[in-house]
Amino acid sequence: MAVPLLELENVSKSYAGTPALRQVNLSIGAGEVHALMGENGAGKSTLIKILAGVVAPDSATIRVDGKAVQIEDAASAHRLGLRFIHQELNVVPALSVAENIVMAQGYPRRGGILVDWQTLNRIAKEALERLGVSHIDPRTRMARLSTGDRMLVKISAALLSSDGAPARLYVMDEPTAALTREETGKLFAVLNQIRASGSSVLYVSHRIDEVMTMCDRATVLRDGQSVDSGLLSQITHDDLVALMTGRTVSEAYPPRLAEPSGKIAYDGHGLTVRRGEIVGLAGLSGSGQTELLRTIFGSPARAWRTGAAYVPKERRGEGLALGRPIFENITLPHLGTLSLGGAMLMPRRERLFAADRGEDVRLRAASVKQSARQLSGGNQQKVVFAKALSGDPSLLLLDEPTRGVDVGAKFDIYSIIREMTTKGMAVILASSDLPELIGLCDRIAVMRSGRVDTIVDARLTEDALLNLCYGRGPNAEAA
Amino acid sequence: MRALPILRRFGTLIGFALIVAFLWWRLPDTFMTARNWLNITQQLSMLTVVAAGMTVVMVMNDFDLSVGSMASLAGIVAAMLFSLGYPIWAAVGVALLAGLAGGLFNGVLVGVIGILPFVATLATMTMFSGAAFIVSGGKTISGRVIPEAFGNFARQGLEIGPVTVPNLSMVAVAVVALVWVLLEQTTFGRRLYAIGGNLEAAHLSGVPVRRFKLIAFSLTGLSAALAGLLYASRVASANPTQGSGLMLNAIAAVFLGMTMSEEGEPRVLATVLGVLILGVLDNGLTQMNVDSYVRQILVGSIILVAVSVSALSRSRRS
Ligand SMILES: Nc1ncnc2c1ncn2[C@@H]1O[C@H](COP(=O)(O)OP(=O)(O)OP(=O)(O)O)[C@@H](O)[C@H]1O
Ligand SMILES: [Mg+2]
């Protein structure tokens, strides 16, 4: 058997006495696309950060081409040919897309001093084109890009072959969480190219279907320990889920419990939502879903008071104060009712309350007093969700609410939403995950260029919905 | 590796203990006495009040450069009203209102118009200072126009057994207690910390960010004015520059305090420790007859060391 490209052996890491990784093993062959799976907080990102030299392990043996190596910092990982796209995007918002792309290798110079902007922008343009991305101008400031576009830029940057150490292994931590189906398809084409060229990929995703189609093998982390899945072609979707969760999550979406009541909960902007109803917002990215939700939400202070709740799209930018404890994040909009006379804090009561709400969404945290920063990405998303659900809202506005959330927790969140609709809550859900829209919604509003284009019953196929998003008839041949 | 978090949390506290131990050793007779410590707290009362107020805006990641000028202006306003024959309560009241109004003005600039706090309060710092000069005609107001009772306030205190706790110290303690309750025990404080943690998330969670900035800056202005009055009472006079040393020290004290919290957020009790570090150093070094310029260099260096240790221990890989 050929020597694996990368082997990790007995990787262990604890945070403040709590083990995140316990003697984890992982091995990736040359030309292999290897999935790293596991529930939120299983330790995927931690393992990747150890490989990147960002987090120091308690113990680890790392071998490249069979030879033991030390990874002390980001530079030594780079020299070994490892390239990273981390879950939490590290971009420089004030710089241009092109600058963010070439940052790792340095700017091209003219006469050794002046930055050669023309070459710089050309390199960036080519890097983006490799991913089939033409809608991003390399000269745009990074700050103006959506999360999905930022991810595309980061992927392009990682793919840009640099001089010095050739890339051997690309490590991608949930690269598709914010991508549309099409963009995902383009990324997969690139992954296939990488595989064909003999380089490898370590790929993290909570989308089981993606992993089943794209990856050769998987390593599953559970309770800090690792299991090798073997060849994915030999196991089923459900086997993989069972490996991750230890339970069989047979149905991805809980059944509808009741019919919408008929009373109108929201009416405006071409959209009518009845109490107990879940209405989806579909559309190509940037068709105005986020803006519509914001408009409906209106002034936040008044909205929360009148029973609306909102899960914004960017958990780190808009949803959380990372440096604050989990419970403070969850109770912030509800302090009025969780305090004495709206003025004096009752921290104990808040913590109990937050712990309960966290449990509802399967939040995995050592304590609600931990700062949100210490949570895994998916668990941070659950905090944002718990915050919105906590006040028993009558109108729930969701913008990509399950981004980065694992299958098991997704099912629980869907169940909670369903259950709350039986009590009369109305939901408007914007999602780029078409199966999620179809599985959860009663009706789907398709948005095009900033307004609601058509509203359809949610009982339709994914292809039909996609056609509508492109402004074609539901039965048109997919292009 | 294990030592780092401890150093991060308690480094400043340990540093303070070392400074105290050092001064105690060098000044065995005079330093560790009730009299000296009461003296220190009295000397520090103005700075404590300003720093506590500064903490309120720094919790939101803002800061206020105008507090020193506001302190001078408040002293001048009160003294001017004294010289026009107004009673103490009226003069003090108007001076405090001036602080509130000046703070509110800062709040409007930062919270409503959206000017960076550095720029906005740099401008108002100059304006308040100019106003103090105009009102006073550039002169020190002192002597018989200052009512005796006003000057006596700073000289008197509460007798508890053998010691007399100065009034000024008690005012400072009261202000700290109020700010502590406000920041740590009320929903107002919680929301301020939320704004400091992530302004956009706080806004989307229903925190009326603009109103909070107005209130917070007003409180900082009010505390600056109060400090100015304490100062004027202590020296029984007012001049248009007497508060100017307060601003940098107040910011330094908050920064020293911030080195003591996990996430680097300001806490008012930690600010008080920051004030104590600055004050104790100053007191001890003065007693040791260290040249005042050398003293400045030493104090500056200690602030840098504390903040650097905290920054370095944070940036280490976990
Ligand atoms: N800086 C930290 N301090 C304390 N605990 C941490 C820290 N970073 C991670 N953890 C803990 O380590 C565990 C693993 O987190 P990690 O981010 O690796 O999970 P993950 O598998 O990537 O999850 P997700 O799918 O949600 O991204 C979690 O329980 C998390 O709370
Ligand atoms: Mg992760």
Side-chain angles (χ1 to χ4, degrees):
Chain A
M1 205 183 141
V3 179
L5 173 72
L6 174 81
E7 284 171 286
L8 299 176
E9 236 175 63
N10 292 330
V11 182
S12 297
K13 169 74 186 173
S14 303
Y15 284 107
T18 315
L21 297 171
R22 292 192 284 182
Q23 308 201 313
V24 164
N25 301 317
L26 181 134
S27 133
I28 306 173
E32 179 181 327
V33 178
H34 191 104
L36 181 60
M37 310 283 294
E39 296 188 307
N40 296 131
K44 304 177 296 292
S45 299
T46 306
L47 189 65
I48 286 172
K49 285 181 199 153
I50 288 173
L51 201 53
V54 182
V55 164
D58 300 337
S59 72
T61 309
I62 304 176
R63 280 192 290 271
V64 174
D65 297 328
K67 283 195 290 286
V69 295
Q70 293 287 328
I71 299 179
E72 314 258 84
D73 50 21
S76 51
H78 193 89
R79 276 195 300 277
L80 290 168
L82 310 181
R83 299 289 180 274
F84 294 88
I85 297 150
H86 289 293
Q87 181 174 18
E88 306 305 348
L89 287 167
N90 310 309
V91 298
V92 186
L95 294 183
S96 73
V97 167
E99 288 170 281
N100 271 281
I101 288 180
V102 304
M103 192 134 27
Q105 33 240 310
Y107 292 21
R109 304 274 167 177
R110 199 178 296 206
I113 306 166
L114 296 174
V115 174
D116 182 353
W117 292 104
Q118 245 172 350
T119 311
L120 179 87
N121 289 330
R122 186 176 47 74
I123 293 174
K125 195 152 185 281
E126 286 168 7
L128 286 167
E129 271 163 8
R130 189 165 169 217
L131 266 181
V133 175
S134 53
H135 69 279
I136 303 176
D137 182 345
R139 286 166 300 183
T140 330
R141 282 216 304 164
M142 203 68 182
R144 302 183 46 185
L145 263 48
S146 68
T147 315
D149 285 351
R150 287 183 193 196
M151 185 47 95
L152 291 172
V153 170
K154 286 302 278 186
I155 297 172
S156 316
L159 292 175
L160 193 61
S161 58
S162 59
D163 33 44
R168 308 279 315 273
L169 173 70
Y170 295 96
V171 181
M172 305 186 174
D173 197 348
E174 298 193 35
T176 56
L179 298 192
T180 63
R181 246 168 55 138
E182 276 203 306
E183 289 164 346
T184 303
K186 291 193 176 133
L187 175 66
F188 283 2
V190 176
L191 295 187
N192 280 322
Q193 280 174 29
I194 293 174
R195 172 155 49 197
S197 73
S199 297
S200 309
V201 178
L202 181 60
Y203 185 85
V204 177
S205 173
H206 286 294
R207 301 187 174 170
I208 317 280
D209 293 332
E210 265 180 35
V211 169
M212 293 301 285
T213 44
M214 193 59 232
C215 302
D216 304 308
R217 282 195 306 148
T219 295
V220 178
L221 296 180
R222 204 173 117 199
D223 300 326
Q225 288 172 312
S226 56
V227 184
D228 191 332
S229 75
L231 286 176
L232 286 173
S233 53
Q234 318 242 310
I235 65 171
T236 65
H237 179 289
D238 290 353
D239 294 338
L240 188 57
V241 173
L243 270 182
M244 281 171 60
T245 59
R247 56 176 178 160
T248 39
V249 181
S250 48
E251 258 176 307
Y253 299 94
R256 229 170 235 101
L257 296 169
E259 285 298 308
S261 76
K263 283 210 194 99
I264 306 259
Y266 175 80
D267 188 14
H269 297 91
L271 205 62
T272 311
V273 188
R274 284 168 295 158
R275 297 189 58 197
E277 192 181 29
I278 306 177
V279 173
L281 294 183
L284 301 178
S285 72
S287 300
Q289 298 93 317
T290 299
E291 291 75 7
L292 180 57
L293 285 176
R294 283 280 185 116
T295 313
I296 295 173
F297 193 54
S299 146
R302 181 166 350 106
W304 288 100
R305 259 201 316 278
T306 55
Y310 176 46
V311 172
K313 196 170 182 177
E314 318 281 345
R315 59 174 168 253
R316 286 160 74 92
E318 305 168 329
L320 290 172
L322 287 174
R324 307 303 308 165
I326 294 166
F327 83 90
E328 290 188 11
N329 274 292
I330 292 180
T331 59
L332 185 59
H334 318 296
L335 279 179
T337 50
L338 284 169
S339 55
L340 265 179
M344 300 309 283
L345 293 173
M346 296 189 288
R348 245 177 62 82
R349 184 165 155 207
E350 274 184 69
R351 284 199 291 271
L352 289 175
F353 176 85
D356 280 352
R357 296 287 86 75
E359 212 162 284
D360 291 346
V361 295
R362 284 179 171 259
L363 176 66
R364 205 173 131 161
S367 140
V368 288
K369 288 201 249 177
Q370 269 188 311
S371 64
R373 189 192 313 284
Q374 293 175 340
L375 291 176
S376 76
N379 281 304
Q380 289 176 354
Q381 184 67 35
K382 292 179 202 166
V383 171
V384 183
F385 213 90
K387 164 157 89 173
L389 289 179
S390 285
D392 281 326
S394 56
L395 177 64
L396 181 61
L397 306 170
L398 306 171
D399 203 350
E400 307 283 352
T402 57
R403 214 183 241 182
V405 173
D406 68 48
V407 250
K410 255 187 203 172
F411 184 82
D412 292 342
I413 288 176
Y414 296 149
S415 305
I416 296 171
I417 296 178
R418 272 279 157 76
E419 199 191 303
M420 289 175 73
T421 56
T422 62
K423 290 187 243 155
M425 179 178 75
V427 182
I428 305 178
L429 162 71
S431 176
S432 53
D433 188 357
L434 301 187
E436 180 172 271
L437 286 176
I438 294 169
L440 202 61
C441 297
D442 298 301
R443 289 181 301 142
I444 298 174
V446 180
M447 294 196 64
R448 285 170 55 73
S449 35
R451 56 163 53 103
V452 173
D453 191 48
T454 43
I455 301 184
V456 292
D457 189 283
R459 276 163 290 196
L460 78 178
T461 64
E462 238 176 279
D463 283 333
L465 182 53
L466 195 64
N467 275 332
L468 288 171
C469 292
Y470 277 100
R472 299 187 290 248
N475 300 319
E477 280 293 307
Chain B
M1 272 319 200
R2 294 261 182 286
L4 273 174
I6 297 171
L7 198 62
R8 180 200 308 169
R9 281 302 292 277
F10 299 109
T12 307
L13 205 58
I14 295 168
F16 178 61
L18 288 178
I19 290 170
V20 169
F22 173 80
L23 293 173
W24 196 357
W25 169 55
R26 295 306 305 263
L27 304 161
D29 300 328
T30 53
F31 182 71
M32 218 31 154
T33 59
R35 202 170 137 243
N36 190 43
W37 279 91
L38 285 176
N39 188 21
I40 291 178
T41 59
Q42 182 175 26
Q43 278 172 2
L44 288 182
S45 49
M46 282 73 70
L47 179 56
T48 307
V49 169
V50 176
M54 184 68 83
T55 309
V56 175
V57 280
M58 286 183 73
V59 162
M60 305 183 300
N61 287 336
D62 291 333
F63 52 92
D64 185 348
L65 300 178
S66 70
V67 287
S69 307
M70 177 47 77
S72 308
L73 178 60
I76 290 289
V77 165
M80 209 56 211
L81 291 173
F82 290 147
S83 69
L84 296 174
Y86 284 87
I88 294 183
W89 64 265
V92 166
V94 171
L96 290 177
L97 275 181
L100 208 57
L104 187 66
F105 185 51
N106 281 330
V108 169
L109 296 179
V110 175
V112 180
I113 302 184
I115 306 177
L116 285 177
F118 182 85
V119 180
T121 61
L122 188 67
T124 54
M125 172 178 96
T126 323
M127 289 165 63
F128 297 158
S129 177
F133 273 97
I134 290 176
V135 174
S136 67
K139 291 190 292 283
T140 299
I141 306 171
S142 60
R144 265 183 302 124
V145 293
I146 308 286
E148 208 170 318
F150 184 73
N152 281 345
F153 179 78
R155 253 169 254 129
Q156 290 164 350
L158 188 68
E159 281 180 40
I160 304 175
V163 293
T164 307
V165 181
N167 282 337
L168 293 186
S169 310
M170 287 193 298
V171 171
V173 169
V175 168
V176 169
L178 277 177
V179 172
W180 180 80
V181 169
L182 186 74
L183 289 182
E184 311 276 338
Q185 303 295 324
T186 67
T187 54
F188 178 84
R190 173 67 64 69
R191 290 179 172 127
L192 276 192
Y193 278 105
I195 293 173
N198 182 344
L199 190 139
E200 182 62 16
H203 167 68
L204 289 176
S205 299
V207 177
V209 174
R210 198 179 290 183
R211 196 192 319 152
F212 272 60
K213 293 218 163 187
L214 292 180
I215 298 174
F217 272 98
S218 301
L219 291 177
T220 306
L222 182 66
S223 73
L226 177 60
L229 290 173
L230 297 180
Y231 210 117
S233 163
R234 181 148 172 258
V235 293
S237 65
N239 91 47
T241 60
Q242 68 191 16
S244 57
L246 287 170
M247 180 264 287
L248 281 176
N249 280 329
I251 293 179
V254 180
F255 271 124
L256 279 173
M258 282 162 68
T259 62
M260 278 180 282
S261 61
E262 186 90 35
E263 292 283 344
E265 76 272 10
R267 298 262 167 207
V268 71
L269 295 183
T271 298
V272 171
L273 191 70
V275 169
L276 274 176
I277 292 177
L278 296 175
V280 165
L281 261 180
D282 201 56
N283 171 282
L285 295 176
T286 310
Q287 287 189 49
M288 284 164 62
N289 291 322
V290 176
D291 177 87
S292 78
Y293 301 119
V294 177
R295 224 157 64 209
Q296 287 179 8
I297 294 175
L298 273 176
V299 170
S301 316
I302 281 172
I303 293 171
L304 281 182
V305 168
V307 176
S308 311
V309 167
S310 157
L312 284 177
S313 65
R314 234 174 276 279
S315 69
R316 272 298 151 77
R317 58 184 201 156
S318 35

